[in-house]
Amino acid sequence: MLSRTADHLFWMARYTERAENTARMLDVSIQTSMLPQSAADAENSWRAMLGISELQAEYDHKYGLLHAKDVLDFMVRDPDNPSSIAACLTQARENARAVRGTLTTEVWETQNSNWIDMQKRLSSGLLERDPSQFFEWVKYRSHLSRGVTVGTMLKDEAVHFMRLGTFLERADNTARILDVKFHGDKHYPPSAELSQRDFYYWSALLRSVSGFEIYRKVYRDVITPERVAELLMLRSDMPRSLLACMDEVVANLRAVRNDVSANTERFAGRLHAELQFGSIEDILEAGLHDTLTQFLQRIYELGNRLSRDFLVPLAA
């Protein structure tokens, strides 16, 4: 497959997944902002989300003071923010259009409809009236995009590159969603009793990654931070966990290996093995925030290696 075609497929899937995960992260922030808290705590929560998304400087440059309405506008519809939902769905559609002949009609029409429907919903004021409903729509369209891909595409290199983009992006975003709570707090005390606010925060976080029912089924007990971290990092049967994502990355990377990708496979394999054979006790002892920060750095490096070996290399 031509590297440019693989690049478009990889980024089409990655941008679709990024839109979904941005919606998930914003939905957590909206839900937790409704809990009783001081104005300072509310502002810190929004700043933590911007910080872990590496968008604080861009937001401050454009808006200055922090207001929840401006954060939503920046993260949802701002065309100058390449990680906004609108920008992601636009880029996903543009990448799909560039490789229209490689996609089935159903996959292309789904991506095109995502872009058209998004503009209608934003212009209708849905985000202002009911942001959670808008975020649910984004998640639904992302699910539909993946389902149509699996259900209609030939399982060849095109699908493998799309799945590489999906699961690399999902791993990155699951780590960010989890780390919002620990951003700037390197030694969260896992033995501390949860306050009522913390309990609702972790419940909202689990729901944001479709993990609340899964948590209840697996642990059958009260929600604790260390178990949430274990579920979202180390359980391969949790679809959005870091380990489940790396399972997919390693498998799809193996399927498209070429003459220069051996080192990249080894790099991914080491990261996968650390999760597969790691324990939550060791992670908490090392510091959850530090562990997640290191994981994000290595996922970024893995993305660069994939671009170098298979795709159009990223500009320096």
Side-chain angles (χ1 to χ4, degrees):
M1 174 175 288
L2 292 174
S3 61
R4 187 165 296 278
T5 300
D7 188 79
H8 284 304
L9 294 166
F10 175 88
W11 283 105
M12 179 193 76
R14 189 158 188 177
Y15 277 122
T16 303
E17 182 71 21
R18 186 174 299 178
E20 176 185 347
N21 283 284
T22 299
R24 290 177 180 274
M25 193 181 300
L26 286 170
D27 206 20
V28 173
S29 298
I30 288 286
Q31 297 299 324
T32 55
S33 70
M34 298 177 183
L35 299 174
Q37 60 186 309
S38 67
D41 285 342
E43 180 173 332
N44 287 338
S45 295
W46 287 108
R47 286 199 180 280
M49 190 204 68
L50 288 168
I52 202 63
S53 302
E54 301 178 11
L55 293 168
Q56 182 71 66
E58 289 85 345
Y59 175 88
D60 288 342
H61 177 74
K62 185 161 188 174
Y63 293 94
L65 297 177
L66 189 143
H67 298 289
K69 179 180 178 299
D70 290 337
V71 175
L72 282 176
D73 195 70
F74 178 68
M75 295 295 292
V76 173
R77 59 158 51 97
D78 194 331
D80 297 326
N81 172 13
S83 292
S84 72
I85 291 172
C88 286
L89 293 182
T90 299
Q91 285 301 315
R93 188 249 190 186
E94 288 305 303
N95 278 283
R97 186 173 61 83
V99 288
R100 172 68 186 85
T102 306
L103 305 174
T104 60
T105 299
E106 291 88 347
V107 172
W108 159 247
E109 289 183 348
T110 300
Q111 289 291 341
N112 195 41
S113 295
N114 291 348
W115 179 71
I116 294 170
D117 291 351
M118 173 198 68
Q119 296 180 88
K120 291 179 180 177
R121 288 170 187 272
L122 288 178
S123 63
S124 73
L126 177 61
L127 179 64
E128 291 75 18
R129 292 194 311 274
D130 191 346
S132 289
Q133 184 181 342
F134 177 77
F135 299 144
E136 284 299 320
W137 173 83
V138 175
K139 289 187 281 184
Y140 168 76
R141 295 302 299 189
S142 178
H143 297 328
L144 182 62
S145 298
R146 282 194 303 276
V148 168
T149 298
V150 171
T152 69
M153 291 280 291
L154 182 68
K155 292 177 175 57
D156 59 1
E157 282 189 332
V159 166
H160 292 309
F161 280 114
M162 291 163 70
R163 291 182 72 79
L164 274 171
T166 293
F167 289 102
L168 197 69
E169 184 66 29
R170 184 178 296 183
D172 179 276
N173 279 278
T174 294
R176 292 180 190 276
I177 287 174
L178 184 56
D179 198 34
V180 166
K181 179 67 175 178
F182 300 93
H183 192 57
D185 183 3
K186 298 183 180 181
H187 301 289
Y188 187 87
S191 60
E193 291 187 10
L194 286 183
S195 67
Q196 185 180 41
R197 184 175 184 275
D198 277 341
F199 172 80
Y200 284 113
Y201 177 89
W202 289 112
S203 298
L205 186 146
L206 284 169
R207 287 190 172 92
S208 79
V209 293
S210 305
F212 186 78
E213 292 84 0
I214 293 175
Y215 183 97
R216 292 299 192 196
K217 185 174 183 179
V218 170
Y219 296 104
R220 302 177 182 275
D221 204 348
V222 18
I223 297 173
T224 63
E226 61 269 28
R227 285 175 174 171
V228 174
E230 181 180 56
L231 182 71
L232 296 187
M233 295 178 74
L234 303 180
R235 289 198 63 106
S236 62
D237 50 357
M238 166 60 188
R240 306 192 73 84
S241 74
L242 303 187
L243 178 54
C245 292
M246 288 307 301
D247 286 344
E248 291 284 349
V249 168
V250 168
N252 285 281
L253 182 54
R254 186 184 304 119
V256 297
R257 62 166 50 131
N258 61 26
D259 294 339
V260 299
S261 64
N263 285 334
T264 298
E265 281 194 74
R266 280 192 287 270
F267 185 88
R270 284 194 297 270
L271 184 53
H272 177 245
E274 288 176 14
L275 292 167
Q276 186 175 14
F277 300 108
S279 72
I280 195 60
E281 291 79 15
D282 290 342
I283 289 173
L284 291 171
E285 184 177 349
L288 184 53
H289 172 70
D290 288 345
T291 301
L292 291 169
T293 299
Q294 184 183 55
F295 178 84
L296 287 167
Q297 291 169 348
R298 294 168 74 184
I299 280 290
Y300 178 77
E301 172 64 18
L302 179 55
N304 286 340
R305 286 169 177 259
L306 288 171
S307 293
R308 181 196 65 201
D309 293 347
F310 298 101
L311 313 175
V312 178
L314 298 174

